[in-house]
Amino acid sequence: MKKLMMIAAMMVATVSASAQFEPGTFSLQPKVGMTLSKVSNMPAIGSGAYKIDRSLLTGAAFGVEAEYQVADMYSLAAGLNFAMQGCQWEDTELKIGGESLKWKDNKIQLNYLNLPVVANVYLFKGFAIKTGVQLGFLLSAKRKYDMTGSIGGSSATVKYDEDVKDQCKKFDVSIPIGVSYQVPTVPVYIDARYNLGLTKIVKDIDESVKNQVFQLTVGYKFAL
C-alpha cells in the first residue's frame, strides 16, 4: 500500500512539474470550446423600419496553440483554430393590414479559420492576461431564415438557405483580449477571450459591420 501511495505521489509530482513551464521552453495546447458571437450594425432580413431584437449566436471552436515561455511572467503564443461565428435575431412577426409576416431562425453563419498571435502576462502562477492580433480567413458564409406569410387565413412557409460568401470580405482582423488559467495539478488550460473585430466584413454595407466574438475553450497543455 505504501509503495502504491509513493508511486501515486511521484506521478502527481511529475504531472505538476510538467505543468510548470520554465523560461526557454515550448508547449503545445490542443483545445476545444464554444463561441458566442454577433455582428455589429448588421441589418436583419425584413426589418425595414421595425426593430428586431438581436441575440447571440452559439457556435463551436477548436484548434491548437503553441506557446514559448520567454520568462517566468511572459510568454508568446500563436495558434490555428476553426470558429463558428455570425449573428442572429429574435423571432419576429410583422402585421401590415390583413397580412402577417413571421421570421424564425433568422441568422447569419460565418465559419472562419483564425490565426491568433498573443502575448501572455502571468500575474501569478498559472493565471495570465493576454492580448494580441488575430487574422481570420472566411471559409463559408450563409444567411438562413424561415418566413411565414399569412393572408386571409391562408399561410405558407418558405425556408431560406443562401450562400452569401461572395457578399463578404474574405479576410478579417481582430484584437483578442482575454485571460487564461492552468489547473495546478494537471496540465489542463482554460482560456476565455473576447475578439474585437477591426475590419468591415460585408462588402456593400456602408455601416461598421464587424465581428464581435466571445470564445471559451479548454485545452490540454504539454511540453514539446
Side-chain angles (χ1 to χ4, degrees):
M1 185 66 179
K2 290 183 178 179
K3 288 184 177 181
L4 289 175
M5 292 178 66
M6 290 177 63
I7 293 172
M10 291 174 63
M11 291 176 64
V12 170
T14 301
V15 171
S16 179
S18 66
Q20 300 171 13
F21 295 94
E22 301 296 330
T25 60
F26 286 92
S27 60
L28 198 65
Q29 179 198 152
K31 57 174 64 179
V32 64
M34 63 173 291
T35 59
L36 292 172
S37 62
K38 65 178 182 178
V39 177
S40 63
N41 300 315
M42 176 65 78
I45 286 287
S47 59
Y50 298 88
K51 179 181 177 181
I52 298 181
D53 293 331
R54 299 172 183 270
S55 60
L56 294 173
L57 181 66
T58 303
F62 58 87
V64 64
E65 192 164 275
E67 184 176 355
Y68 175 70
Q69 197 70 33
V70 179
D72 287 334
M73 289 185 61
Y74 307 103
S75 72
L76 296 174
L80 179 66
N81 65 76
F82 171 83
M84 299 171 64
Q85 301 175 192
C87 60
Q88 70 177 7
W89 296 268
E90 299 289 347
D91 296 347
T92 306
E93 180 178 5
L94 304 179
K95 293 184 178 181
I96 306 173
E99 183 178 354
S100 173
L101 292 176
K102 297 179 182 178
W103 284 269
K104 186 178 179 181
D105 296 330
N106 194 356
K107 58 190 173 184
I108 294 176
Q109 294 179 330
L110 307 171
N111 292 331
Y112 281 91
L113 183 65
N114 292 322
L115 285 75
V117 178
V118 297
N120 299 295
V121 178
Y122 286 87
L123 300 183
F124 55 85
K125 197 169 189 65
F127 180 84
I129 58 174
K130 62 188 64 196
T131 188
V133 63
Q134 176 174 278
L135 308 179
F137 299 90
L138 183 65
L139 301 177
S140 65
K142 289 192 173 183
R143 189 151 207 172
K144 299 182 179 182
Y145 58 94
D146 296 348
M147 185 175 67
T148 301
S150 299
I151 302 177
S154 299
S155 65
T157 299
V158 179
K159 294 182 177 292
Y160 286 85
D161 188 345
E162 180 185 4
D163 189 330
V164 293
K165 187 177 179 180
D166 290 342
Q167 302 173 33
C168 300
K169 294 191 174 183
K170 307 302 185 291
F171 184 68
D172 179 50
V173 180
S174 61
I175 297 295
I177 304 168
V179 297
S180 61
Y181 179 68
Q182 185 178 326
V183 178
T185 55
V186 290
V188 173
Y189 197 77
I190 302 169
D191 186 293
R193 62 183 71 176
Y194 177 71
N195 298 320
L196 176 63
L198 299 181
T199 55
K200 190 175 81 168
I201 65 169
V202 179
K203 295 177 180 178
D204 299 326
I205 294 180
D206 294 332
E207 295 186 55
S208 180
V209 180
K210 300 176 182 179
N211 283 314
Q212 298 178 346
V213 183
F214 173 77
Q215 181 174 303
L216 178 65
T217 57
V218 177
Y220 186 86
K221 191 175 181 180
F222 57 91
L224 292 178

